[in-house]
Amino acid sequence: MSDQHLLLLSILTPFAGAIGIVLLRQRPNLREAVTLLSATLVCIIVVTIFMRFDNAGLMAVDIAEPLPGLKIRFEIESLGMLFALVASMLWLITSIYAIGYMRQHKEKNQTRFYAMFAIAIGSTLGIAFAGNLITLFLWYELLTISTYPLVAHAGNKKARHGARTYLGILLGTSIGLLLLAILITYNVAGTLDFQQGGILAGKLDPAWSGLLYALFIFGIGKAAVMPFHRWLPAAMVAPTPVSALLHAVAVVKAGVFTVLKVTIYIFGTDFITSSGANDWLIWFAGATILLASLIAMIQDNLKMRLAYSTISQLSYIVLGALLATNTSLLGAALHISMHAFAKITLFFAAGAILVAAHKTDISDMGGLGRAMPITFGAFLIGSLSIIGLPPFGGMWSKWYLGMGMVETGQWLLLSVLLASSLLNIAYLLPIPARAFFGKAPDGTTHHRIKEAPPSCLVAMTITSLACVLLFFYPDPFYELAMDIGGTK
Amino acid sequence: MIEQNLCLLLVVIPLIAAPVTAMLPAGRTPWFFTLTITWLCFVLSIWQLTIVLDGSTISYELGGWAPPWGIEYHIDALNAFVTLIVSGIAAITLPYALRTVENEIQRRDTSLFYAVFLLCFVGLLGIAQTGDVFNLFVFLEISSLSSYVLIGMGQRRRALTAAYQYLIMGSIGATFLLIGIGLIYAETGTLNMQDLHQRLQPILDHRTVHTGFIFLVVGIALKLALFPLHLWLPNAYKYAPSAISVFLSATATKVAVYVMLRIVFTVFSIDFLKITSTEFIFLMLGAFGVLVASTGAIFHYDIKRILAYSSIAQVSYMVLGMGFASTLGVTATVVHMFNHALMKGALFMAAGAIVLRIGSSKFENIYGIGRQMPWTFAAIFIAGLSLIGIPGTAGFISKWYFMLAALEQQAWLIALVILFGSLLSVVYMWKIFEALFFHRPTNTSPPVSEAPLSLLLPMWTLVLANIYFGINTDLTVSVAETAVRLLGITAYHE
């Protein structure tokens, strides 16, 4: 099969899966089999594309031309390849997890859940393989819309309210700011294709570049740069598998991925540094890193704490993009994958605690670690990777991000990065520590609580092992990320 | 033979069919007869469009009287496009009408209903086809009078008030229009549009011409429900029978926009627009219309009423496009005429399906109904996304052109208004989505079933058209560009 077909197949498979899921709504076992089957298929297809991918000849597929000169185009390049690999692998693992979780938790409307989940992943792959800004925007909006029912899943007032915030901020920023930025870009450059070195250099007055760049950075609400971060905590009303895959991996990474794409292929790193477009924006990202970490410290709800941690970690990637040097871009791209594996482990653990012990607040989790050793063991590994300690994958991305700051002489930002690492320790490590060594608030021991369902444990184990593996063998992601850094 | 008389046949066939329909026995016969007529006209209108697609024009002399003495039908891409919209929407509304009309109109009135429907159809087609301003006025009155009747046939007694309100406002509009036509006739002695254009050019600074122009613009603005002359519309669309809400919302205001384009650009000229600063007035009224109507939609709790307010906002976008007075701006207007017919048609069809099953379109009665009518809900959802302007739908194409036109002239404030209007449409559409799907049902009414297939098929044809014309714009954009070129509009330059 030709590469073009594989590319289209990888995007279409989740949609076909969604149709299958809806058709088999009366038979839950078969329905879940369809989810697993399409997740496996997508994973195999994306890995195959990766094996064949050599970056020498970029290949593109044009689907349609809705506006003169603006095509719906897909293409494979390193950054998209990296994102697609992460998303498709983690969809498979999350599907295993979700089946155990949703059944144990006796959630309603599971057909809708699995179908929308598949559509969301299809849209994510569409973003990863988008060949120009307009195609990316199309899938970006589709991702927002398809995840809305997942956030509103519970259907009660709290869920509706959370989903409203979610949608309001994501659609609001994308229509109000991102679309405007895209239109201005098109008006100035006459094209929206992703090109090495950017399309704006020499066409946009450098004085305006900072403003346009700001429209992009804030317009991409999915990157959750403050003050447009409120949607992510609001989305935590969703079932945990959604928070795990979509709000730690697919949706948020789609945001920072778009930021990286815009930085590298629309502005071009040289244009950003020469025009000073990033001068003041880096402080927004820096402030987000610190503030979100500080807010995370005071959250007692575990998922909320993880959500604010995600906001903070996303700004690492945004910062890497804004610095626009080869090393910082390498760090940013690596962080997409490293943070994905670590944060999904943490969310899996949070969901397992909810399912097995029915606890959401950290203050109630004292002593729980002895009843659920695997869950909290995985949580510990995930935390250490987020903090960026060896021997866990999270170290590499932080290393290169830090290197990037040293290269550009941004000492203040480097201290922000280090302070944030300390804050990570302060808000993550007490959770497993209290669980293993602390006592329950009322002094009783948790002898009635057992571990989460096996499928949840399997998923958690795989992702936490991946965190370790990525320290010793980060090569696939590293090589892809190196390509982006401008060796091409 | 047929080809030579095509543009006249499009008007004459339904005109003759109307009285015939009135004499048919009540029941399904008049429906079937009307269905055949609308489909015939649809085919003819496609034929007509293919002839003028390359930028040529058809000139037809009624009764062999040479213009400017006789009435001339002058067809270019714009006329043919509007005719296509009107006949296409009529053809797709008729299959939908069968069940909803049986539900809402008494059986003995069906022949009359379809006869009046055909008259309204003739009126709208005639407006689109004719090249003579007085003839245009006559057709406008035919369509208006018949739509008063159609709206008044709504189930609730409030329909009569709504129709009466519309009648008053519509008559005032018609009077203004007639005075305007009279004034320019007094100045030039001709009623033929092409001829008027020639004769008006040397006397564009005459006070009488200016007065006539103002009367014409105000009259048409009433018909297209331009802010602040829009108050008749929400009630009219809310209380009209479902099929009529669909037909009128998708065609009537669009035809009025067409009249505005014709009068402003063909009869007068783009230069006249610029020397009188009318473009600025259009921009202001359009911008205010978008904001006021979209905000108004947010504060209502009734699907049909929200959609009606949204129609006012969408028409304001079209006026905004005219206000740019550039190729891109008017292209956006013409493209949006077509796209808005697709989205509003689909939305009102879905609202009608809910009315058929529940008997109401108020939120309090329809909470959670989307779960029991998944196909209807999905149709509202996709057409709603198109209305918002999500990429991949027809609405995005329109919005893209409006925005490009604004950015081209660096009209930042207008660009922000367009985007803000989109955001407001997110709010009011999402209110509908939430109420229909995520809200728990409040009353313990018996479960309802999905809408019948005769409603779903036309609805989904329009929904899929929304997606198709969002991905493939060969037809819409090329027709619009040809039409705009023929209107004598040039690209914007500083």
Side-chain angles (χ1 to χ4, degrees):
Chain A
M1 201 183 287
S2 77
D3 288 2
Q4 273 91 344
H5 288 128
L6 276 179
L7 175 57
L8 293 181
L9 203 62
S10 71
I11 298 168
L12 288 179
T13 309
F15 287 94
I19 295 170
I21 289 164
V22 173
L23 291 179
L24 291 168
R25 60 184 175 277
Q26 305 292 352
R27 312 175 69 175
N29 288 334
L30 275 179
R31 179 188 67 194
E32 264 77 305
V34 172
T35 300
L36 285 177
L37 183 73
S38 34
T40 317
L41 262 178
V42 170
C43 199
I44 292 172
I45 295 169
V46 172
V47 171
T48 316
I49 298 176
F50 171 62
M51 305 290 250
R52 292 194 193 176
F53 174 67
D54 60 354
N55 205 37
L58 281 181
M59 55 138 226
V61 199
D62 291 340
I63 305 295
E65 191 172 345
L67 291 158
L70 290 175
K71 294 186 173 114
I72 304 282
R73 161 180 291 182
F74 297 109
E75 70 179 14
I76 302 176
E77 54 71 68
S78 338
L79 186 61
M81 192 67 245
L82 185 147
F83 184 38
L85 265 182
V86 173
S88 59
M89 282 179 184
L90 289 178
W91 185 31
L92 180 56
I93 300 170
T94 309
S95 301
I96 300 171
Y97 178 88
I99 292 166
Y101 177 92
M102 297 299 277
R103 291 196 170 184
Q104 179 94 357
H105 214 232
K106 298 188 180 63
E107 292 271 1
K108 286 177 186 161
N109 301 317
Q110 292 197 19
T111 305
R112 186 173 86 208
F113 173 84
Y114 288 114
M116 295 321 281
F117 214 106
I119 293 176
I121 294 298
S123 314
T124 309
L125 290 174
I127 293 175
F129 291 134
N132 57 26
L133 201 49
I134 197 82
T135 314
L136 197 153
F137 184 63
L138 192 157
W139 293 105
Y140 182 96
E141 295 292 56
L142 198 58
L143 182 59
T144 308
I145 291 158
S146 62
T147 46
Y148 169 80
L150 292 170
V151 176
H153 188 83
N156 53 31
K157 199 163 186 186
K158 193 171 162 234
R160 280 209 311 275
H161 198 77
R164 217 178 280 165
T165 313
Y166 178 78
L167 189 95
I169 294 180
L170 287 187
L171 266 191
T173 50
S174 70
I175 293 176
L177 306 173
L178 180 56
L179 180 59
L180 185 63
I182 293 174
L183 276 154
I184 294 174
T185 307
Y186 181 69
N187 205 24
V188 171
T191 173
L192 288 174
D193 289 343
F194 291 133
Q195 276 169 27
Q196 195 64 252
I199 54 174
L200 285 172
K203 288 180 178 154
L204 182 70
D205 182 358
W208 288 99
S209 63
L211 204 60
L212 182 61
Y213 201 35
L215 277 181
F216 271 114
I217 298 291
F218 293 118
I220 301 166
K222 290 193 170 94
V225 177
M226 284 183 180
F228 296 107
H229 66 288
R230 283 277 306 125
W231 63 271
L232 188 55
M236 290 299 134
V237 294
T240 310
V242 175
S243 310
L245 182 60
L246 298 178
H247 302 122
V249 182
V251 175
V252 290
K253 295 295 152 48
V256 288
F257 172 78
T258 313
V259 171
L260 281 170
K261 277 277 205 186
V262 167
T263 305
I264 302 170
Y265 300 114
I266 297 295
F267 278 84
T269 50
D270 294 339
F271 183 57
I272 285 181
T273 39
S274 67
S275 66
N278 55 359
D279 274 352
W280 50 281
L281 280 170
I282 49 175
W283 300 111
F284 275 87
T288 307
I289 292 178
L290 271 188
L291 286 176
S293 290
L294 286 171
I295 298 172
M297 305 253 317
I298 55 165
Q299 299 292 326
D300 191 35
N301 182 303
L302 180 54
K303 278 175 79 179
M304 289 303 254
R305 187 176 286 193
L306 294 180
Y308 277 101
S309 161
T310 305
I311 295 173
S312 155
Q313 299 285 322
L314 288 174
S315 274
Y316 281 55
I317 304 173
V318 175
L319 198 54
L322 289 173
L323 287 175
T325 70
N326 287 350
T327 328
S328 74
L329 288 174
L330 170 65
L334 267 183
H335 205 56
I336 288 185
S337 55
M338 300 306 178
H339 175 251
F341 280 94
K343 190 49 73 59
I344 205 169
T345 311
L346 297 185
F347 271 108
F348 281 167
I353 297 166
L354 177 65
V355 165
H358 306 291
K359 293 201 187 311
T360 55
D361 289 347
I362 295 160
S363 50
D364 293 338
M365 289 178 191
L368 210 54
R370 272 160 294 184
M372 306 177 70
I374 303 177
T375 304
F376 278 96
F379 193 94
L380 181 64
I381 294 176
S383 307
L384 292 173
S385 187
I386 296 260
I387 294 162
L389 295 175
F392 302 100
M395 197 208 87
W396 293 121
S397 48
K398 287 214 173 159
W399 175 264
Y400 287 109
L401 281 171
M403 286 280 285
M405 289 165 196
V406 174
E407 270 177 15
T408 48
Q410 296 281 9
W411 303 107
L412 198 57
L413 282 180
L414 187 66
S415 55
V416 166
L417 191 74
L418 295 178
S420 166
S421 287
L422 291 177
L423 288 171
N424 289 346
I425 297 178
Y427 68 74
L428 283 176
L429 283 189
I431 301 168
R434 183 184 287 189
F436 281 120
F437 305 116
K439 282 202 178 96
D442 48 1
T444 53
T445 48
H446 300 287
H447 52 267
R448 282 178 144 193
I449 293 170
K450 293 199 194 93
E451 271 286 9
S455 78
C456 295
L457 295 179
V458 170
M460 248 184 289
T461 316
I462 297 174
T463 52
S464 49
L465 286 180
C467 288
V468 182
L469 183 69
L470 284 174
F471 176 76
F472 295 104
Y473 183 69
D475 302 34
F477 294 130
Y478 180 78
E479 276 160 19
L480 285 174
M482 275 299 283
D483 286 341
I484 307 156
T487 47
K488 267 196 290 195
Chain B
M1 162 62 190
I2 296 179
E3 187 166 333
Q4 275 104 50
N5 297 314
L6 203 55
C7 49
L8 188 65
L9 282 176
L10 266 165
V11 179
V12 168
I13 292 174
L15 186 63
I16 295 172
V20 175
T21 315
M23 288 182 282
L24 289 173
R28 290 195 171 185
T29 332
W31 168 76
F32 186 76
F33 184 68
T34 313
L35 180 79
T36 323
I37 298 296
T38 50
W39 276 91
L40 182 64
C41 289
F42 183 44
V43 173
L44 292 181
S45 69
I46 294 174
W47 190 356
Q48 178 178 265
L49 184 64
T50 54
I51 297 174
V52 294
L53 204 54
D54 57 355
S56 59
T57 55
I58 306 172
S59 176
Y60 186 90
E61 297 158 10
L62 247 68
W65 294 90
W69 297 282
I71 294 171
E72 182 201 11
Y73 279 13
H74 191 86
I75 311 292
D76 63 15
L78 186 59
N79 300 62
F81 195 48
V82 176
T83 304
L84 178 80
I85 296 174
V86 173
S87 59
I89 291 292
I92 201 87
T93 309
L94 253 287
Y96 174 90
L98 179 64
R99 287 291 296 270
T100 54
V101 168
E102 278 175 0
N103 183 42
E104 291 169 16
I105 308 286
Q106 288 184 345
R107 194 183 142 83
R108 62 188 158 85
D109 291 339
T110 42
S111 322
L112 280 175
F113 175 83
Y114 286 111
V116 180
F117 177 85
L118 274 176
L119 278 179
C120 186
F121 183 52
V122 173
L124 295 174
L125 283 179
I127 297 170
Q129 295 284 88
T130 187
D132 182 286
V133 279
F134 190 77
N135 198 227
L136 187 144
F137 168 76
V138 172
F139 279 121
L140 196 73
E141 277 302 277
I142 293 177
S143 72
S144 300
L145 291 172
S146 47
S147 46
Y148 308 144
V149 176
L150 288 170
I151 291 166
M153 286 175 109
Q155 259 177 317
R156 315 258 303 273
R157 292 191 61 178
R158 288 286 299 275
L160 293 173
T161 337
Y164 185 69
Q165 204 178 4
Y166 185 21
L167 169 79
I168 300 292
M169 295 307 279
S171 304
I172 295 173
T175 312
F176 270 70
L177 199 64
L178 192 58
I179 294 172
I181 293 171
L183 285 172
I184 56 169
Y185 180 66
E187 273 287 299
T188 59
T190 180
L191 290 167
N192 182 292
M193 288 182 189
Q194 308 296 321
D195 200 32
L196 271 170
H197 178 78
Q198 301 289 330
R199 286 167 192 258
L200 277 173
Q201 293 314 306
I203 51 166
L204 280 181
D205 52 343
H206 282 200
R207 189 65 54 88
T208 319
V209 173
H210 284 229
T211 318
F213 181 73
I214 293 168
F215 272 103
L216 283 170
V217 167
V218 172
I220 304 164
L222 252 166
K223 286 285 170 190
L224 59 72
L226 176 62
F227 171 83
L229 305 172
H230 61 282
L231 288 171
W232 58 268
L233 188 140
N235 276 334
Y237 284 9
K238 159 105 179 65
Y239 294 107
S242 297
I244 298 307
S245 299
V246 174
F247 182 66
L248 289 184
S249 71
T251 57
T253 44
K254 256 63 71 187
V255 170
V257 172
Y258 158 80
V259 176
M260 189 71 103
L261 281 172
R262 223 8 130 203
I263 298 289
V264 169
F265 293 109
T266 303
V267 173
F268 290 84
S269 64
I270 187 161
D271 302 327
F272 183 74
L273 193 68
K274 285 186 172 156
I275 51 174
T276 52
S277 302
T278 314
E279 71 210 285
F280 180 72
I281 294 171
F282 278 159
L283 278 181
M284 282 298 108
L285 291 181
F288 274 106
V290 168
L291 294 178
V292 171
S294 303
T295 315
I298 291 174
F299 294 105
H300 287 281
Y301 294 85
D302 180 306
I303 294 190
K304 277 180 108 175
R305 204 178 273 277
I306 291 178
L307 293 180
Y309 271 97
S310 150
S311 283
I312 301 169
Q314 301 299 318
V315 169
S316 303
Y317 279 115
M318 297 175 207
V319 174
L320 210 55
M322 267 186 256
F324 290 126
S326 65
T327 307
L328 273 175
V330 185
T331 303
T333 299
V334 178
V335 169
H336 198 49
M337 277 160 71
F338 182 83
N339 290 343
H340 182 242
L342 294 181
M343 53 179 104
K344 233 356 116 38
L347 282 169
F348 267 108
M349 278 188 180
I354 291 172
V355 173
L356 178 73
R357 284 293 186 237
I358 310 290
S360 167
S361 60
K362 281 201 179 118
F363 275 12
E364 60 203 46
N365 301 321
I366 57 165
Y367 280 135
I369 226 71
R371 296 177 195 222
Q372 292 163 31
M373 304 174 72
W375 288 99
T376 307
F377 174 72
I380 294 191
F381 187 72
I382 297 175
L385 294 184
S386 184
L387 186 79
I388 294 167
I390 297 291
T393 60
F396 179 69
I397 306 294
S398 321
K399 214 134 277 179
W400 181 265
Y401 274 100
F402 281 122
M403 282 299 291
L404 276 187
L407 292 183
E408 179 189 53
Q409 311 192 358
Q410 284 164 7
W412 296 105
L413 215 55
I414 303 291
L416 288 181
V417 167
I418 295 170
L419 289 176
F420 193 64
S422 275
L423 293 180
L424 291 174
S425 65
V426 172
V427 177
Y428 63 71
M429 282 320 294
W430 231 272
K431 260 180 61 174
I432 297 179
F433 299 159
E434 258 190 26
L436 282 178
F437 203 81
F438 290 99
H439 212 288
R440 286 185 200 291
T442 41
N443 54 353
T444 48
S445 58
V448 293
S449 53
E450 180 55 89
L453 210 57
S454 70
L455 268 63
L456 283 179
L457 280 180
M459 194 192 303
W460 273 89
T461 312
L462 286 181
V463 168
L464 294 178
N466 265 302
I467 296 175
Y468 178 80
F469 288 106
I471 293 170
N472 185 341
T473 54
D474 288 349
L475 174 74
T476 45
V477 172
S478 65
V479 170
E481 278 171 353
T482 314
V484 169
R485 201 181 65 237
L486 292 176
L487 284 176
I489 295 160
T490 48
Y492 175 81
H493 50 85
E494 284 165 62

